[in-house]
Amino acid sequence: MGFGKKMFDAKKFVKKSLKEIKEVVGDRKVISACSGGVDSTVTTFLVHKAVGDRLMAVFIDDGLRREGEPEFVVRILKDLGIKTRSVDAKEEFFKIFHGRIDAEEKRKAFRHTFYKTLGQVAKEENIGVIAQGTIKADVIETVKGIKSQHNVLEQIGIDPLAYGYKILEPLRELFKPEVRMVGRELGLPKEISERMPFPGPALSLRVLGVVTPERVAIVRQATQIVEEETLELGTFQNFAVLHNDKATGIKNGERVYGNIITVRIVDSTDAVTAKARKVSYKILKKIAKRITEEIPSIVRCLYDITDKPPSTIEFE
Ligand code: XMP
C-alpha cells in the first residue's frame, strides 16, 4: 500500500484496522508504547478506539527526550482520555550507553533496553500484547541493514516472545504522509497529526560518541534553539547534533577547546529521501549566534548541506 502507488483511503484503513486490532487483541489487555511522536501516538489512539479502556499507554522516560516532552506527551494522552503510565527508566538507559561510541551498537543497546523496559511493564500489568508505531520506512531501513531502527524485531528474525509478549503494528504498511492522514481521520489534534517526526531513540541519535546526561542536556538546549528559530520554515525535520570531537574557539577573550554543533534542516515527504533546505543566511547566523552564546561549551556551529542519499537524515 506504499504512498503514491494508489490513492490512500484513510477512512477505509481505519475501519479495516479497527477490525484487525479487535481480532488480534480479543478480550486481552494491551499496552501501547507511546513516545509522543506521530506514529506511536496515532497507533495508541487507533488501538484505544478499538479496545477502549483495555489499552494502557506507556511513556518511557529514558532521559533522552526534548525539552518539556515528557510532560507534553503525558498531558496529550490524558487529554485524549487514554489511561497512561509514565516509567522513569533514565538510569537504565544511561547505564547501557556507558562507554559505547559505535552508532549501531548504541542503537541495538537502546532497542534492547526499550523492549526490556516494556516487558517489565507488561509483566507487572499482566499484559501479553504490545502495540507500537512501526511504519514501512522503519522496516525498509532496518531490513536493508542501513540502521537498526529501535522498533523493528520480527522483520529481522527476533521473536518478541523472547521479551515476553506479542507485537501489534497497525501502521506497518504505511509511510509518514499516510500516518498523518490516519491521524486527521481519527480527529487527533493538529499538534499531533502534523508534528515533526522525532526518532524513537530520541537525542541518543544526535549525541555522537558517548551518551551522557550532560551531553544530552547540551544537544537538548541546541535543539530547542533550532526549533524556535525555524518554526516558520515548514520543513520536515529541524534539529541539532553534538559532535564527538572538539575545536578551538575564543570566549571572553580566552581560548576555549569546546564542543561543535551541526544544524540539520531537511525537506522530505516520507523520510526515504530528503533534501537539505537552503535556509536564509540570516536565520543560520541567528541560530549560530544563539547556540554559541547561550550554551557555554559550544564554540562552533555548522550547517549540514547534504541530501539523503548519500547522507541519512539522522547522524547515527
Ligand atoms: P534516517 O536517519 O534513516 O531517518 O534517514 C529516517 C527517518 O526515521 C527517523 N528515525 C527513526 N525513527 N526509530 C524511529 O522511530 C529509529 O530508530 C529511527 N532512526 C531514524 C528519522 O528521524 C527520520 O525521520
Side-chain angles (χ1 to χ4, degrees), residues 104 107-108 110-111 115 134-143 146-153 156 199-201 205 271 308 314 316:
E104 267 299 283
R107 281 179 163 274
K108 285 176 182 158
F110 180 94
R111 181 174 69 195
Y115 284 113
T134 317
I135 66 168
K136 191 88 174 174
D138 302 339
V139 179
I140 292 174
E141 304 233 315
T142 304
V143 172
I146 293 171
K147 42 181 82 170
S148 304
Q149 302 256 359
H150 80 287
N151 50 2
V152 178
L153 280 185
I156 51 166
L205 302 183
K308 173 182 181 178
E314 306 289 345
E316 297 233 305

Side-chain angles (χ1 to χ4, degrees), residues 64-78:
L64 302 165
R65 304 288 125 188
R66 283 175 293 185
E67 190 63 39
E69 192 78 358
E71 299 76 17
F72 171 81
V73 180
V74 172
R75 175 182 64 74
I76 280 280
L77 289 168
K78 290 197 170 153

Side-chain angles (χ1 to χ4, degrees), residues 18-288:
L18 291 176
K19 190 167 165 265
E20 269 173 21
I21 295 167
K22 281 182 193 154
E23 275 166 19
V24 173
V25 176
D27 53 11
R28 290 182 285 189
K29 290 196 287 182
V30 51
I31 58 180
S32 181
C34 188
S35 66
V38 185
D39 309 338
S40 65
T41 313
V42 169
T43 300
T44 303
F45 200 57
L46 193 60
V47 177
H48 183 251
K49 212 171 155 72
V51 305
D53 266 355
R54 276 183 294 125
L55 168 81
M56 185 174 74
V58 176
F59 172 75
I60 299 177
D61 189 353
D62 46 24
L64 302 165
R65 304 288 125 188
R66 283 175 293 185
E67 190 63 39
E69 192 78 358
E71 299 76 17
F72 171 81
V73 180
V74 172
R75 175 182 64 74
I76 280 280
L77 289 168
K78 290 197 170 153
D79 285 355
L80 290 170
I82 298 172
K83 206 167 32 175
T84 302
R85 181 170 157 188
S86 174
V87 180
D88 183 351
K90 295 188 204 76
E91 235 177 78
E92 285 85 338
F93 277 90
F94 283 117
K95 209 159 52 194
I96 49 137
F97 285 128
H98 187 76
R100 290 187 201 273
I101 53 165
D102 177 78
E104 267 299 283
E105 249 192 51
K106 281 159 66 181
R107 281 179 163 274
K108 285 176 182 158
F110 180 94
R111 181 174 69 195
H112 178 65
T113 312
F114 173 78
Y115 284 113
K116 216 172 104 196
T117 309
L118 275 180
Q120 275 159 5
V121 178
K123 205 165 154 200
E124 283 163 24
E125 302 282 344
N126 200 16
I127 289 173
V129 185
I130 291 186
Q132 62 177 20
T134 317
I135 66 168
K136 191 88 174 174
D138 302 339
V139 179
I140 292 174
E141 304 233 315
T142 304
V143 172
K144 270 197 204 156
I146 293 171
K147 42 181 82 170
S148 304
Q149 302 256 359
H150 80 287
N151 50 2
V152 178
L153 280 185
E154 278 169 311
Q155 295 90 339
I156 51 166
I158 304 176
D159 185 355
L161 281 176
Y163 289 96
Y165 42 78
K166 191 174 165 39
I167 282 183
L168 182 64
E169 292 171 324
L171 309 182
R172 66 191 175 281
E173 295 298 326
L174 307 192
F175 284 93
K176 191 72 83 188
E178 298 164 323
V179 176
R180 293 196 198 282
M181 286 164 79
V182 172
R184 288 177 212 127
E185 174 64 29
L186 291 169
L188 278 173
K190 266 195 169 162
E191 55 186 334
I192 291 297
S193 66
E194 311 312 311
R195 227 172 175 217
M196 179 164 68
F198 187 63
L203 298 175
S204 74
L205 302 183
R206 297 169 183 178
V207 171
L208 311 187
V210 181
V211 178
T212 62
E214 296 73 27
R215 303 193 75 224
V216 169
I218 293 173
V219 90
R220 180 180 290 124
Q221 199 180 345
T223 300
Q224 197 179 359
I225 295 170
V226 173
E227 288 188 9
E228 282 169 9
E229 297 302 331
T230 54
L231 274 179
E232 310 300 323
L233 294 182
T235 30
F236 186 74
Q237 266 178 295
N238 316 334
F239 57 88
V241 177
L242 176 65
H243 286 248
N244 196 19
D245 47 3
K246 295 203 167 188
T248 301
I250 312 155
K251 287 211 172 177
N252 304 318
E254 305 223 340
R255 175 187 190 270
V256 180
Y257 196 50
N259 284 311
I260 308 167
I261 284 280
T262 282
V263 175
R264 184 113 171 102
I265 303 175
V266 298
D267 287 304
S268 177
T269 50
D270 54 13
V272 177
T273 59
K275 288 240 175 282
R277 170 70 73 93
K278 193 175 170 192
V279 178
S280 83
Y281 198 61
K282 193 171 158 211
I283 295 178
L284 292 176
K285 286 291 277 186
K286 173 106 185 274
I287 292 173

